[in-house]
Each structure stands twice: as structure tokens, then as C-alpha cells.
Amino acid sequence: MADDAIEDPNFNPMHIEDFLDRNKCEQCGELQLYELAKSNFRQQNMAAWRPVPTLCYSVGMFLVVIIVSLAFGIPLIVMSGDIVEVKKRYDDICGGAKSCSVKVDVDEKMDKTVHIYYELHNFHQNHRIYMKSLNREQLEGKSISESTADSDCDPAIFIRHFSSLETVSNMIASNLLRADDVAYPCGLIAKSFFNDRYAIVKDTNGVQVDIDEKKIAWSDDRGKYEKSGEPGAWLDMTDEHFIVWMRVAGLPTFRKHWGRIEPGLEEGTYTVTVENNYDVSKFSGKKYIVLTTVNAFGGKNYVLGSCFLGLAGLAVILCIAFLGAYKIKQSRETLVNVVNN
């Protein structure tokens, strides 16, 4: 406040009405507050662009949306149609057998790299308790205390909690693991690790197809996992199948990468020998093996292309509706003019 300002007992700096009174502000040395209160920003008088949706403007915007949507939608549908995919359910074929054979017919030659996926149905990896049941430091190969494991990995903490797994029970029986040791890795995600294995043979010549199981996990993920030298280490945490499994899926039906076949597969019938370790009957699930080529947008999926085409169709309908409404309005105006004249 200025030294020569006049004190006004009625001036209240908390009331905006006093800021808008220039005389009061000048008397009390608060002219800057007056200027601020009267600014265009505070009075919401800033310049603004207010487009008027005329017929030409609206129809033009709809046409742009239609053209862009078709430009993306049609190529996506065509590219997805070029993908060759073979999918075979096998849990109903294998039943409770430890090993089984599944016939897979490849009706079209797969020239590109063939990716192998397993697909699970009715498995909810997105459950909150399930997703939280892990310890990141442990996955990096570091040692953790029992209290930390109990806090982060509950209810799958110690080796005894993993004894239902055949591998772990055999290691306990062989005195390679102790039931009271902290499990490495611990947690529900690790405990439910998908461990089926596949081998593929072509029926016509009996030659086994080479499957590359390396670099199937994301490169960023591979650097986050290290082996553990702890007594409770029941699994190699650098196994890329395990790393892929640890990236949880958002939906109850999902696919995860298992391997790839270079440079592709010839047309014909193949026998897939399955090491059937994973029981899906506990959660009424299903298991599939998927052989597919991919493009820049992933595997066969018509959803994105269909969305673009649907958007184009909606824009066409709205465009016709706007034109119809304009014509109706124009006809009414013409009729009124004729009646008045």
C-alpha cells in the first residue's frame, strides 16, 4: 500500500466489489488490484473463436471424416484378411493325459514368420489380488525377507504353498527344496505359470519343425528378470516363457507368445505333440494352440478396421440427415414466402 494512501475502513480486500470500485482502489493504493479485477481474463472477455455450423461447413467436416475413416479402415481390413491363422483347441482332446497329439491342418501356405501362441479362456489375470501377488525385487534376483514376502506375495509365499505343482513336489521329495523356505519367485502369478510345451511334426515327411523360443518376451521385460541363488528358487526367472506369463492380460480370454517358426510353414497336415502340464478344469477354462502370421498391426483382427468403417457409415448417415433437415427447412421457408405473397 502506498505511504500517502488514505485508509478506508469500508474497503475490504476480500470483496471483489471493492476491487471494481476504482475510487476506493485509488484511495487505498490498490490500483493494481483494480486493473487485475477489470482485466479481460477475469471478466471472461477474452477473444474466442465461435464457429457457426453452416450446411457447407458441417457437410465438409463429415466428408473429411468419411474419407479419413475409409482410408484407414479399408487397408486394415484387407491387411487383416491377408493373415493366415490356424487355431486348435486341445484341452478336450488331451483330457488328463500328460502327453497327447493334436492334428492341425494348414490349408494355406504361410510364407512369413509363423508365430505360435497359446490361448486361454476364462482365466482372469486382471483380478486385483492376483495382480498384486508378486515382488519386483525378488524377480530382479534380489533377496527379500519373510515379512516382505508375506506382505507382497500372499497367499503364495513359501515353498509349501507351491507343493501342488508337480515340479515343486518332486524337488521337495528329492530334498532340493525345503517347504518352509520363501519361494523364489513367490506370488499367485508365478504359481499359476503356464507350462505346457509343444513340438510340431509334418505328417508327409515326419520332419520336426524347428521352433525358436528366444526373444519372445518384450526386450524391456527381459532386462528386469534375473536368476536367484536363494534356497527357495524353484524356477528360472530368466525363462522367457515365464517373463511372458508375468505380463498379465487385461481380459479373461487372451493369447501369449510361445515361439516362432522361420521362415514359415508349407500347406499340409501337422501333428502337434503337447506336453499337457497345465490343468484348466479348475477354472472351467479352455486351451488353444494358435499358428499365425502377423502384420504391422499384429495378428488377425477386424475390430479396428470395422470401427473405422462404422465411423464412416455413421458420418454418411449424419451427413444425409443434415442435408435432409436443410432441404426440409428450405422448403418450409419457400412455402411461407409463397403464402405471405
Side-chain angles (χ1 to χ4, degrees), residues 62 74 80 105 119 151 173 225 242 297 303:
F62 284 130
I74 294 175
S80 187
D105 295 320
E119 181 174 305
S151 172
Y225 292 78
F242 174 72
F297 298 95
V303 174

Side-chain angles (χ1 to χ4, degrees), residues 218-285:
W218 292 10
S219 57
D220 289 345
D221 288 347
R222 292 197 296 269
K224 298 176 182 178
Y225 292 78
E226 297 291 341
K227 289 184 178 181
S228 174
E230 295 296 322
W234 64 276
L235 179 68
D236 180 5
M237 292 185 288
T238 60
D239 181 358
E240 291 205 32
H241 294 296
F242 174 72
I243 297 173
V244 169
W245 179 257
M246 292 299 291
R247 181 171 282 277
V248 296
L251 297 173
T253 298
F254 58 85
R255 293 179 180 180
K256 289 186 182 287
H257 204 189
W258 196 87
R260 64 176 65 85
I261 300 170
E262 297 280 2
L265 288 175
E266 297 290 334
E267 181 181 346
T269 301
Y270 293 81
T271 298
V272 180
T273 302
V274 181
E275 189 178 313
N276 188 35
N277 301 314
Y278 202 75
D279 184 15
V280 296
S281 62
K282 298 177 181 178
F283 53 90
S284 302

Side-chain angles (χ1 to χ4, degrees), residues 11-12 14-22 24-25 34:
F11 181 82
N12 188 345
M14 300 301 294
H15 291 167
I16 190 65
E17 292 82 0
D18 287 350
F19 290 157
L20 298 178
D21 190 329
R22 183 181 182 89
K24 284 189 176 182
C25 287
Y34 169 80

